[in-house]
Amino acid sequence: MTAETLTQRGVKPVDGTAHVAGQTDRPLVEATIPAFLEEVVRRHGERTACVFRETGDRWTYAELKAKADRLAAGLLALGLYKGDRVGIWSPNRPEWVLAQFATARVGLILVNVNPAYQTAELEYALNKVGVKALILARRHSKSDYVAMLRDLAPELDAARPGDLHAKRLPHLRHVIQLGPEATPGTFPFDEVMALGEASPGARSRLDAISAGLSPNDPINIQFTSGTTGSPKGATLTHRNVVNNGISVARAMRLEPGEALCIPVPLYHCFGMVLGNLAATAYGVTMVFPGEGFDPGATLAAIEEERCNGVHGVPTMFAAMLDHPDFAKRDLSSLRTGIMAGAPCPEPLMRRVMDEMGCDQITIAYGMTETSPVSFQTATDDPMEARTGTVGRIQPHVECRVVDEHGHVQPVGVPGELHTKGYLVMQGYWDDPERTAEAIVDGWMRTGDLAVIDAEGWCRITGRVKDMIIRGGENVYPAEVESFLHGHPDIASAQVFGVPDPRYGEEICAWIVPRAGRRPDPEAIREFCRGRIAHYKIPKHVRLVDEFPMTVTGKPQKFRMRDAMMRDLGLAEG
């Protein structure tokens, strides 16, 4: 076994406790994003950096850096300074990638705005972190971004570009619209790029500003889910995301000249860190099939760009495997990638390996607040580990499983997973109270239930808040979901609890059948009997065409639970 593999795999727990620490023999990279990109350009400047299939843009790494520098200089020319927050509200477009590197170049803090946000969510996000400049697409899918912004800031129509004063958005001054033209009160993106080209004074400041940046400076704010309250702005540093991108690239064994297909959204860590920064670390080509995920377009991109890796949440991989064009596509170039973002069913993993030929696919686990990945499988891990766990601890990361009192559990005993190390965020922006609740003595409380075994393999068994307590028995939804995925007629399953007067909670399963199948709910329960404990068998089974999802493809169990309670006439106990 090579030292590289040992570094990726981490070490076993000690003293029989569920506490693991990754290898530290290879030092962390103490660099900012601009210094990181500078070194990549020195090594791989003539290699293809980006391919945007929808627009036709193709850039080398040298061209990517030059374009990002132009945008950075243009932002300086607008009067933006280190520490100012710059929002981006856009699907996967070339300008998104430029904004990621350009803002980092001069110490601006990029604020990722979810493309699915509506007016109220946009208003909250921009005001919470004091966004001074907003880069936005005109529209995407069913969302008219410009119209929503004008609803919040009707003052935009009469404002001089760069001098917006809106009652409901008091911090926002600059609105930059993608494309060569713009609506009243906004700068065209191309004009800001031209400002960078025509402002030698601003451009001459780039190197001086970059030299004054620290790897520990905040560089990115990402909003976490607001299903249990207002969204929180997780604040990440250069050091956080650069090192995490490098670590996951090593786990996939990416090599210069390979190509990575990135259909996952850039506003999320999956796209901008595990995609963009991981690919950049090794001079790998970033291939973007389109502005949003489309299984057919993704399969075409893999074939025609000869991609060696592809990222996705489980539902994306399932959609590709079941697409009518799947059998027609030559996917022989594929070997690796990451499946993450939601529990990855073993049958689906095996299909990805066998039918897609992606035999070195990896599973990764993490969260936005940890930049994001803390556990990942290696490309040569045993099949049972790669299909049944989220791998072992990443280098320079420490994790433990604790009970409700904060005591470390023995190996094999479930509890809440805590994470520590370089990857933990600085905190939630302007929210010291919720930061103190989340990070205790350097440990990030993930809210996820996990089991770490004696070999250091980690299994995520659910969310602390999702754990079902039925008649005093703890039921972990992920365990039941994994079992149900073994049914030949079930494509996907989501399990959650609903109130019950006798047992406190009862088990409910929403099931998406395989194409052309329609399993009977009672037959599904019969499939469970004698194979899993009686208290884990779903009392309520609903067949559905699809699950309510976030834009990143995560099932929204709270919406399923609310719908089921309405249908059953239940109230909270």
Side-chain angles (χ1 to χ4, degrees):
M1 187 180 296
T2 67
E4 175 89 356
T5 304
L6 281 170
T7 300
Q8 291 171 0
R9 290 186 171 181
V11 296
K12 298 179 182 179
V14 294
D15 301 326
T17 62
H19 185 168
V20 290
Q23 295 283 347
T24 57
D25 53 336
R26 194 168 190 164
L28 290 169
V29 173
E30 301 296 341
T32 62
I33 289 175
F36 167 70
L37 181 59
E38 184 76 37
E39 177 62 18
V40 170
V41 170
R42 187 184 70 78
R43 296 184 182 192
H44 307 292
E46 298 311 308
R47 294 189 186 277
T48 301
C50 304
V51 174
F52 298 93
R53 301 264 301 177
E54 197 156 325
T55 64
D57 289 276
R58 304 176 80 95
W59 308 330
T60 66
Y61 272 99
E63 289 170 332
L64 168 61
K65 182 181 184 303
K67 288 176 181 291
D69 278 1
R70 283 178 60 197
L71 178 56
L75 294 173
L76 290 180
L78 293 182
L80 296 167
Y81 298 96
K82 176 186 174 182
D84 284 342
R85 273 75 69 203
V86 176
I88 181 161
W89 194 23
S90 166
N92 288 10
R93 290 179 53 103
E95 297 92 341
W96 213 111
V97 178
L98 293 181
Q100 179 178 357
F101 288 100
T103 50
R105 178 78 154 105
V106 289
L108 298 168
I109 301 174
L110 187 68
V111 180
N112 301 4
V113 181
N114 189 326
Y117 271 3
Q118 297 300 300
T119 308
E121 298 157 314
L122 176 67
E123 180 179 14
Y124 174 85
L126 298 186
N127 288 336
K128 177 63 180 176
V129 302
V131 167
K132 188 173 181 180
L134 176 64
I135 301 170
L136 81 165
R138 188 179 185 94
R139 62 174 65 247
H140 174 62
S141 187
K142 298 177 181 178
S143 295
D144 187 329
Y145 295 152
V146 172
M148 281 190 272
L149 182 62
R150 290 171 71 188
D151 283 347
L152 288 176
E155 300 92 339
L156 189 64
D157 287 343
R160 182 168 56 86
D163 193 33
L164 175 64
H165 294 270
K167 182 178 180 180
R168 294 175 65 180
L169 301 174
H171 306 282
L172 187 62
R173 293 289 176 269
H174 308 275
V175 179
I176 303 166
Q177 189 176 319
L178 302 190
E181 299 179 359
T183 52
T186 71
F187 289 107
F189 185 89
D190 291 358
E191 184 177 315
V192 179
M193 292 287 285
L195 278 175
E197 188 68 32
S199 302
R203 294 197 67 184
S204 66
R205 294 163 56 195
L206 294 180
D207 288 342
I209 293 173
S210 293
L213 301 178
S214 163
N216 293 313
D217 286 339
I219 204 62
N220 183 226
I221 297 174
Q222 300 195 30
F223 285 94
T224 61
S225 171
T227 58
T228 56
S230 300
K232 305 179 289 286
T235 306
L236 306 177
T237 67
H238 298 266
R239 189 171 187 261
N240 288 152
V241 296
V242 165
N243 283 288
N244 210 255
I246 292 170
S247 284
V248 298
R250 288 174 180 163
M252 288 186 286
R253 296 183 178 173
L254 293 181
E255 295 184 359
E258 289 193 314
L260 177 64
C261 187
I262 307 173
V264 293
L266 289 173
Y267 90 90
H268 190 271
C269 267
F270 204 166
M272 69 169 287
V273 180
L274 311 189
N276 292 359
L277 294 182
T280 300
Y282 282 87
V284 168
T285 302
M286 301 167 254
V287 177
F288 301 96
E291 291 191 357
F293 173 67
D294 177 270
T298 303
L299 290 169
I302 293 170
E303 177 183 35
E304 293 167 19
E305 302 296 338
R306 306 306 296 155
C307 292
N308 308 97
V310 59
H311 287 351
V313 298
T315 52
M316 289 180 176
F317 282 99
M320 285 188 279
L321 285 161
D322 294 335
H323 193 272
D325 290 346
F326 179 76
K328 305 173 189 175
R329 293 296 182 185
D330 177 5
L331 308 180
S332 58
S333 59
L334 270 184
R335 66 167 185 85
T336 191
I338 296 175
M339 191 189 299
C344 306
E346 181 176 332
L348 178 61
M349 271 291 290
R350 293 186 181 276
R351 288 187 71 195
V352 170
M353 293 177 180
D354 297 339
E355 297 174 37
M356 292 185 79
C358 200
D359 58 345
Q360 295 180 20
I361 188 79
T362 69
I363 295 288
Y365 162 79
M367 62 190 303
T368 302
E369 291 90 336
T370 58
S371 308
V373 170
S374 50
F375 284 90
Q376 189 173 0
T377 57
T379 57
D380 59 353
D381 279 337
M383 181 66 74
E384 60 272 18
R386 295 170 62 203
T387 57
T389 79
V390 294
R392 283 175 165 164
I393 194 79
Q394 279 273 20
H396 296 276
V397 181
E398 202 173 345
C399 283
R400 65 186 186 185
V401 173
V402 303
D403 63 17
E404 63 270 26
H405 305 295
H407 301 138
V408 180
Q409 297 280 52
V411 294
V413 177
E416 183 182 7
L417 187 67
H418 290 183
T419 305
K420 193 175 190 179
Y422 77 87
L423 73 176
V424 175
M425 66 173 181
Q426 277 196 341
Y428 295 121
W429 186 272
D430 193 28
D431 202 338
E433 184 175 336
R434 290 206 279 184
T435 298
E437 291 172 357
I439 305 174
V440 179
D441 296 329
W443 291 96
M444 179 72 211
R445 301 172 60 184
T446 69
D448 286 322
L449 291 165
V451 174
I452 295 176
D453 69 18
E455 297 299 311
W457 303 110
C458 179
R459 287 187 299 111
I460 303 300
T461 59
R463 294 285 295 166
V464 171
K465 64 181 179 63
D466 289 340
M467 187 178 72
I468 305 165
I469 303 177
R470 182 194 181 275
E473 297 281 1
N474 291 348
V475 178
Y476 302 101
E479 179 187 0
V480 182
E481 290 163 0
S482 179
F483 173 78
L484 290 173
H485 284 132
H487 191 291
D489 294 340
I490 294 176
S492 189
Q494 292 294 315
V495 172
F496 52 93
V498 293
D500 182 81
R502 181 178 180 185
Y503 293 106
E505 285 186 286
E506 263 296 0
I507 316 301
C508 181
W510 275 25
I511 287 169
V512 175
R514 289 194 182 279
R517 309 285 181 88
R518 198 72 183 171
D520 179 71
E522 180 54 34
I524 290 173
R525 284 187 284 268
E526 186 59 36
F527 174 78
C528 297
R529 292 187 181 106
R531 303 179 70 188
I532 59 174
H534 70 90
Y535 59 84
K536 300 177 184 176
I537 298 174
K539 177 180 180 180
H540 307 290
V541 177
R542 171 185 279 188
L543 303 184
V544 297
D545 294 329
E546 60 184 5
F547 304 126
M549 295 282 194
T550 67
V551 71
T552 54
K554 293 183 180 181
Q556 295 177 306
K557 288 189 178 182
F558 74 97
R559 291 178 58 189
M560 300 180 214
R561 184 174 186 267
D562 289 347
M564 204 68 193
M565 287 175 63
R566 285 195 301 269
D567 290 353
L568 296 171
L570 298 173
E572 291 286 355

